Structures are given as structure tokens and as C-alpha cells.
Amino acid sequence: MSVMRSLASAAKGALWLVRAGGLRDQLQRLRRQEQRERWLQAGDLRAAERRVYSQNGEDGIIQEILGRVGVASEFFVEIGVESGLECNCARLALQEEWRGVFLEADDEHFAKLERRYRSHDGVRCVHATVTAANVESLLGAAAVPHELDVLSIDIDGNDYWVWTAVEGWRPRLVVIEYNAAHPPPRRWVMREDPAHRWDQTSYHGASLASLAALGRKKGYTLVATDSTGVNAFFVRDDLVTPDRFLDPVVQYHYSPLNSPFCPDGLPYRGGPFVEI
């Protein structure tokens, strides 16, 4: 009987764990849905996250941004794509049939990348280690239009320095990985090292504050990050109009009334007003 009781107890415990796990999953889904609703109400681009070929929700954010700013050449460049199975511009190549260039340094990844896109005439795969010293010569050799639509940089190291060196090309949208280990307002950039290979640690890339400062210097506005804290999205200043993107100063510095002098807020009263 003691064996039977032990088995029954174990079964109940296992059932509890299953139910608890199910409840946790349900709560997480509800939290994600609530967060998405808040982003939608605020006009935050994270509400547009959607994963098709990207690692996270970059596909949806890129599509939403391009829908707002329009496209000029239907051309992309993505630096650091591994095998091309999961990357930021695969959807543009495979679903939108854009032309573009994938650049990858690793031998094994590049072999898979080249096989995967061999039948796509508009897509060129380049086997190269991209650095600040050679990025523009690589873009020139690949006949990249000077106003390409998307430049994506994800090389787990010298990302900041590579973007710094891109001067003769003016992409409409730049997607670049940032290092979330250094939250704002920390300025932090990995010292440039062309021989760097990421060792799966927090030593890589640049902080969001440093990339935002670089973007301002180059004429780009930070319009979004993805909810996983991996990618930042920059749009060229001439395309950032108030009707297209949130004003970050207003949006993120606003706090709702929470004063001890009126803990329940103020009674609402409507009246004539002008939207100017």
C-alpha cells in the first residue's frame, strides 16, 4: 500500500507541475498581450514585432518602418548572417524578391549561405571579414546603390566601427546590434579590433547610448529597439517626420500624474481646445 500511496503522491505532484507550468505559460502569454496592447496604444514599434526569418521580431519592425518611410531601391546589405537561415533581410530577399548582398566571414556558414541563395539571381553572397578599413571597398565592389534601403550590421564586435566607416552610402534604415549590458546613459564601445571573434560574453559591440550618439552624428534618429534588447533601428533624419514616428523626448519623459496632493488624480473636465 505504501508503494501505491507513493505512486499516487508522485502522480499528483507531476500533475501539479504540469498545471503550474501551464498556468505560468498562460500568465506569460497574458503579460505579453498586455504589453503589446500598451505598445499599440503608444505607437511603439515593438508592437509590430513579427518573426518570419529573423531571430526575434525584427522582420515585423523592418516591414513597419519601410511602410512608413517608403523604399527607394529595394536593395539591402546585411553584414554577418551566418548561414542566412535566420537573419534580418532574408524575408526581403525571399518574400519581397529584393536585390541585395549578404556578407559572411565564417567558412562553414558561408558555404551554407551560398547554397541557400544560389537560385536567387538578385542576391549576392560575399565571403569576407568586414572591417572599418574595407567596408566601403566591399560595398563598391558589389555595386551597392548609394541609397540602399536597409543596412543591417550584426558581427558581434566591431559593429560600431563598421557603421562609422560607411560614409559614401546613405541607407534609409540601419539595423544594428547593441550591447544591452551597458544601459543608458552609459557610453561604451568595444575597442576596435579587426581580429576580434565573439567569445559568447558581454564583451562586444557598443551600448545603445553610444550608437545613438553616432547616429546623430551621421544624420540618423533612433526610432526603435526590439523587445529582446538585441537590435536598434535608425532611420535617416530626412525621413523622420512627426507623423511617422514617436517623439522620443515627449513619449519617454512623460509621467502620468502621481502626486501625494491628489492621489486619485484630478476630476476630468472637457472643454474647447485646439490641436496645434
Side-chain angles (χ1 to χ4, degrees):
M1 291 296 291
S2 61
V3 173
M4 294 299 293
R5 281 196 296 269
S6 297
L7 287 171
S9 177
K12 286 179 181 177
L15 183 60
W16 181 86
L17 285 172
V18 169
R19 286 175 177 168
L23 285 172
R24 280 196 298 272
D25 291 343
Q26 194 171 10
L27 284 171
Q28 286 175 354
R29 283 195 295 271
L30 286 171
R31 290 193 192 102
R32 285 196 294 268
Q33 183 61 35
E34 288 173 0
Q35 180 63 76
R36 182 178 173 80
E37 292 294 333
R38 286 195 290 270
W39 287 334
L40 279 169
Q41 291 172 8
D44 192 308
L45 280 163
R46 283 172 290 190
E49 288 185 343
R50 183 170 65 94
R51 182 179 181 273
V52 183
Y53 294 102
S54 58
Q55 289 183 330
N56 304 297
E58 299 94 328
D59 284 322
I61 294 178
I62 290 171
Q63 186 174 20
E64 177 65 23
I65 291 173
L66 294 175
R68 296 184 189 188
V69 304
V71 298
S73 57
E74 294 190 348
F75 198 101
F76 67 83
V77 169
E78 184 160 8
I79 303 171
V81 294
E82 295 189 345
S83 69
L85 180 63
E86 288 185 334
C87 58
N88 291 336
C89 295
R91 193 195 68 81
L92 297 174
L94 299 174
Q95 292 189 350
E96 303 289 338
E97 297 184 347
W98 279 26
R99 296 176 302 126
V101 180
F102 289 124
L103 297 105
E104 173 56 40
D106 182 83
D107 295 346
E108 187 176 341
H109 285 319
F110 180 77
K112 294 177 182 178
L113 174 71
E114 194 172 39
R115 284 196 299 272
R116 178 163 283 118
Y117 289 93
R118 186 172 292 159
S119 62
H120 297 272
D121 294 337
V123 176
R124 181 172 179 180
C125 299
V126 177
H127 190 194
T129 298
V130 182
T131 67
N134 69 7
V135 61
E136 289 213 315
S137 63
L138 289 167
L139 295 179
V144 174
H146 289 274
E147 191 181 0
L148 67 155
D149 289 302
V150 179
L151 169 63
S152 178
I153 306 172
D154 179 1
I155 52 177
D156 302 319
N158 295 295
D159 309 59
Y160 177 98
W161 303 108
V162 168
W163 189 22
T164 299
V166 178
E167 297 180 344
W169 281 260
R170 297 284 291 163
R172 297 168 80 82
L173 168 63
V174 175
V175 185
I176 186 166
E177 188 173 87
Y178 68 96
N179 188 332
H182 305 283
R186 178 81 190 279
R187 298 283 189 96
W188 187 94
V189 181
M190 187 194 88
R191 187 182 297 278
E192 185 175 12
D193 177 8
H196 173 81
R197 296 294 179 270
W198 187 40
D199 60 1
Q200 308 286 315
T201 72
S202 63
Y203 185 73
H204 67 89
S207 69
L208 186 62
S210 291
L211 287 169
L214 174 61
R216 284 192 292 271
K217 190 184 301 182
K218 293 177 73 68
Y220 285 81
T221 297
L222 174 66
V223 298
T225 60
D226 61 44
S227 62
T228 58
V230 174
N231 288 282
F233 302 79
F234 291 85
V235 171
R236 210 172 61 207
D237 285 347
D238 61 298
L239 302 171
V240 181
T241 56
D243 60 314
R244 290 175 176 167
F245 298 102
L246 294 175
D247 181 336
V249 174
V250 173
Q251 183 66 31
Y252 295 107
H253 286 295
Y254 167 80
S255 295
L257 181 63
N258 185 28
S259 169
F261 299 105
C262 46
D264 298 321
L266 297 172
Y268 177 77
R269 178 181 180 275
F273 70 99
V274 181
E275 288 191 23
I276 55 175

